[in-house]
Amino acid sequence: MAFQRRRQHHNHQHRLRVVVPIISSVFSALLILFALLSFLAPSPSDTDHLHHPRRFTSTDNVDGPTGVPVFRVQIIDAVVAARILNATLVIPKLDQKSFWKDASDFSEIFDVDRFISVLSKDVKIIKQIPRKGGKSLTPYHMRVPRKCNEKCYQNRVLPVLLKRHAVQLSKFDYRLANKLDTDLQKLRCRVNYHALSFTDSIQKMGEKLVHQMRMKGKHYIALHLRFEPDMLAFSGCYYGGGDKERKELGAIRKRWKTLHISNPDKERRHGKCPLTPLEVGLMLRALGYGSDVHIYVASGEVYGGEETLAPLKALFPNFYSKETIASKELEPFSSFSSRMAALDFIVCDESDIFVTNNNGNMAKILAGRRKYFGHKPTIRPNAKKLYRLFLNQTSTTWDTFASKVRSYQRGFMGEPNEVRPGRGEFHENPATCICEDSEARTKKDSVPRKYGKGDSLTRKEVMVSDDQNDEDDPEWSDPDDDEDQRGLQDKELNNGTVLDYDSIISEEPELEEMLSD
């Protein structure tokens, strides 16, 4: 059973949580952290390494509207790069001069001793660069090409490492190929799901938040809203706020000097813009989640404040955030964006349904994690299709609108077979690390879920028709070859099951009114 597998890990999960990638990962409102990583040679297996020349590599800061998740991805890939180079890894130093101004270091977010111990048979990790003659080695700075594979590291980095002894790798985001040998992919999983764990203080506070949500309702949805000003500015999207919006977001966008001049309409047509809180709410109601569902929102300061959030709260009155359920207990964490992001990550990970409003690192890391520890759905809006629907929402009935939402969301509901093994980002689809027996049980037991009246979890099974329109199939791109790939046909995507929406959705006058506003 999928949930049996998760229960088997339950006693250890407090050691397995990790900040999702800068969040992106972690969460949109999170502080942007970037790993400063160093590698030291000789071989990790050489017990006499201190008597040999040392070699290092490290990474400079990465600029972008991300959070703990990207940071997490960088650490994972740094460990794998160290393994490829047969080098020793120095515990990452976090950027404390970024836009987010977070003074946290690695040991204040992650359990350092566990990180070193779990990976001891894979890579030797030390806490700081050794000193020679009373002085620390000064690393040589270099940049690795994007999507660099094993041969790339061996041909480009290793010679420099052997010559310079200490090398710092700058701009380390996405500097490791998505497709690697099986052993290296499994190492990614050991780092991500077992070595990177939060400190006890973060983990215990996260568990308290989860407990509070379970006390309010047995089940809950976690929503990574990702509607902060930095995200909107970076995406180049426009939401109808006139000159005021253009001026405010334009000023923030100038932080990223390499961004091209955006075409807001084009970005939205291509599905590259987050949905508004209202649009997210309407999508969830159309998918069958009633107004009695409890929703936890992981978010920073939403652009437009309470006025922007009001429609979502009207659709889902049981609306919570970490600030509303544990305000006083958050005081030790509230001054540190990365630690607050870690708390959101834990609550999202434990949710029955996770909904992401941006397919960034946070969404990918959490989706992969939820598959690895026993499948739980991660819903991604099909923003490209939904955009056209929301443009014409005032001229349609609720039943028609809901039917189209359900059609467009096929393949985006987080079912086990939505992505073929080996397709998509490995962090989102870690098929190499999931054994076939467990995956088979997951397919059998992970049928679509919905929340009905009384907040009960129910299941429906209906045969899928064979005349599914190919246009509704999701497209998956391979991060290494940038070629769009179509997903499986509908009956493959859902393993022969879909929600019986017609039996759970009825025309609701208040929703008709919201569509016509």
Side-chain angles (χ1 to χ4, degrees):
M1 300 289 288
F3 285 98
Q4 286 179 332
R5 185 183 181 197
R6 189 169 182 89
R7 282 196 295 268
Q8 290 171 358
H9 290 276
H10 179 75
N11 293 332
H12 300 285
Q13 279 186 338
H14 68 287
R15 293 294 182 184
L16 300 177
R17 301 285 191 279
V18 286
V19 181
V20 188
I22 317 182
I23 191 150
S24 178
S25 242
V26 161
F27 302 97
S28 334
L30 310 183
L31 168 65
I32 301 183
L33 300 178
F34 299 93
L36 180 64
L37 308 168
S38 297
F39 303 84
L40 181 65
S43 166
S45 61
D46 189 347
T47 57
D48 194 31
H49 68 280
L50 292 178
H51 297 290
H52 296 276
R54 293 160 176 77
R55 305 186 279 282
F56 297 85
T57 63
S58 68
T59 62
D60 287 342
N61 301 334
V62 181
D63 193 17
T66 50
V68 176
V70 165
F71 168 42
R72 183 188 189 95
V73 171
Q74 291 176 334
I75 294 174
I76 295 167
D77 289 351
V79 172
V80 176
R83 181 63 184 174
I84 293 171
L85 296 169
N86 201 22
T88 298
L89 174 67
V90 178
I91 287 291
K93 292 182 180 179
L94 309 185
D95 176 25
Q96 299 177 346
K97 298 179 181 179
S98 68
F99 173 80
W100 298 99
K101 307 295 183 186
D102 190 313
S104 300
D105 61 30
F106 187 96
S107 64
E108 291 172 312
I109 301 172
F110 298 107
D111 184 335
V112 176
D113 292 334
R114 178 178 177 81
F115 181 68
I116 295 173
S117 175
V118 170
L119 298 173
S120 61
K121 294 182 179 180
D122 299 296
V123 175
K124 183 172 180 61
I125 303 173
I126 57 178
K127 295 183 178 181
Q128 59 185 6
I129 298 177
R131 302 175 69 85
K132 184 177 181 180
K135 296 181 180 180
S136 296
L137 292 175
T138 301
Y140 174 79
H141 290 248
M142 67 177 294
R143 182 175 296 186
V144 180
R146 287 177 65 86
K147 305 171 185 176
C148 195
N149 60 20
E150 297 101 309
K151 289 185 178 180
C152 172
Y153 272 90
Q154 291 164 357
N155 293 336
R156 290 175 177 256
V157 181
L158 186 57
V160 179
L161 191 60
L162 293 171
K163 179 180 179 179
R164 299 285 184 169
H165 307 303
V167 176
Q168 178 170 336
L169 303 180
S170 62
K171 294 292 181 182
F172 202 64
D173 54 324
Y174 302 103
R175 302 295 153 168
L176 187 62
N178 186 58
K179 292 182 178 179
L180 298 172
D181 288 344
T182 298
D183 288 346
L184 295 177
Q185 298 290 53
K186 289 183 177 180
L187 176 55
R188 272 176 160 163
C189 291
R190 282 195 293 279
V191 180
N192 192 3
Y193 306 127
H194 301 284
L196 279 173
S197 62
F198 293 130
T199 60
D200 285 343
S201 60
I202 290 175
Q203 186 58 44
K204 289 178 180 178
M205 186 65 237
E207 290 172 352
K208 287 182 180 179
L209 294 174
V210 172
H211 177 71
Q212 288 295 319
M213 287 302 300
R214 296 293 185 200
M215 291 292 290
K216 295 179 182 298
K218 184 177 180 181
H219 308 288
Y220 70 92
I221 293 175
L223 168 61
H224 183 215
L225 192 54
R226 208 65 180 102
F227 207 73
E228 298 83 10
D230 72 303
M231 179 63 209
L232 304 187
F234 185 83
S235 66
C237 301
Y238 173 69
Y239 292 91
D243 291 339
K244 180 176 182 292
E245 177 183 327
R246 294 189 181 94
K247 182 178 180 180
E248 291 174 344
L249 299 185
I252 298 174
R253 188 173 172 83
K254 291 178 180 178
R255 288 168 39 201
W256 299 287
K257 298 179 181 179
T258 59
L259 291 182
H260 58 76
I261 297 176
S262 66
N263 181 332
D265 291 336
K266 181 180 178 181
E267 297 298 320
R268 199 137 203 240
R269 286 198 308 271
H270 290 179
K272 296 182 179 180
C273 297
L275 302 184
T276 67
L278 169 60
E279 290 168 348
V280 173
L282 290 173
M283 178 193 73
L284 290 175
R285 291 297 294 272
L287 291 174
Y289 298 102
S291 60
D292 57 336
V293 169
H294 291 73
I295 288 189
Y296 176 93
V297 176
S299 176
E301 181 180 354
V302 172
Y303 184 69
E306 284 300 315
E307 182 178 354
T308 302
L309 284 174
L312 177 59
K313 290 183 176 181
L315 289 168
F316 295 97
N318 297 312
F319 180 102
Y320 306 99
S321 67
K322 57 185 175 298
E323 289 83 4
T324 63
I325 60 179
S327 57
K328 292 183 178 179
E329 294 177 283
L330 291 176
E331 291 181 0
F333 306 91
S334 59
S335 298
F336 305 95
S337 299
S338 56
R339 302 179 211 183
M340 294 286 274
L343 297 176
D344 274 336
F345 178 73
I346 293 171
V347 183
C348 288
D349 186 34
E350 288 294 331
S351 65
D352 298 278
I353 304 290
F354 173 57
V355 181
T356 175
N357 194 22
N358 171 261
N359 197 33
N361 286 306
M362 166 88 166
K364 293 172 182 176
I365 288 288
L366 268 174
R369 182 180 181 83
R370 290 163 68 85
K371 291 176 183 177
Y372 181 82
F373 285 113
H375 191 89
K376 291 199 296 185
T378 297
I379 296 176
R380 300 175 301 114
N382 184 351
K384 188 174 181 179
K385 293 285 186 69
L386 293 177
Y387 165 71
R388 299 196 293 268
L389 183 58
F390 285 123
L391 275 181
N392 303 309
Q393 70 182 42
T394 58
S395 60
T396 187
T397 65
W398 172 252
D399 284 344
T400 299
F401 174 83
S403 177
K404 289 184 177 181
V405 168
R406 298 192 295 270
S407 175
Y408 294 160
Q409 281 301 119
R410 289 172 179 168
F412 291 79
M413 297 297 290
E415 295 305 312
N417 289 335
E418 283 183 356
V419 191
R420 289 188 182 97
R423 302 307 303 171
E425 289 253 2
F426 181 77
H427 298 298
E428 183 177 13
N429 185 35
T432 304
C433 303
I434 301 175
C435 65
E436 293 182 4
D437 289 344
S438 296
E439 190 173 11
R441 289 197 300 270
T442 296
K443 291 176 184 177
K444 177 180 178 181
D445 297 312
S446 181
V447 299
R449 314 165 192 188
K450 73 103 184 169
Y451 294 92
K453 296 297 181 182
D455 197 30
S456 61
L457 200 63
T458 62
R459 298 176 174 179
K460 291 279 185 178
E461 290 191 58
V462 182
M463 294 305 296
V464 179
S465 63
D466 292 328
D467 59 352
Q468 169 66 24
N469 190 332
D470 287 344
E471 292 183 358
D472 289 335
D473 287 349
E475 294 182 355
W476 298 92
S477 62
D478 187 302
D480 287 346
D481 58 23
D482 290 329
E483 294 179 358
D484 288 339
Q485 298 290 335
R486 290 196 176 276
L488 301 176
Q489 291 295 321
D490 215 24
K491 60 184 177 182
E492 292 177 293
L493 288 172
N494 295 301
N495 195 29
T497 63
V498 294
L499 279 176
D500 183 5
Y501 293 107
D502 293 336
S503 69
I504 60 176
I505 299 287
S506 60
E507 186 172 313
E508 302 184 47
E510 70 273 19
L511 296 177
E512 295 277 7
E513 292 177 6
M514 296 193 82
L515 282 178
S516 62
D517 284 345

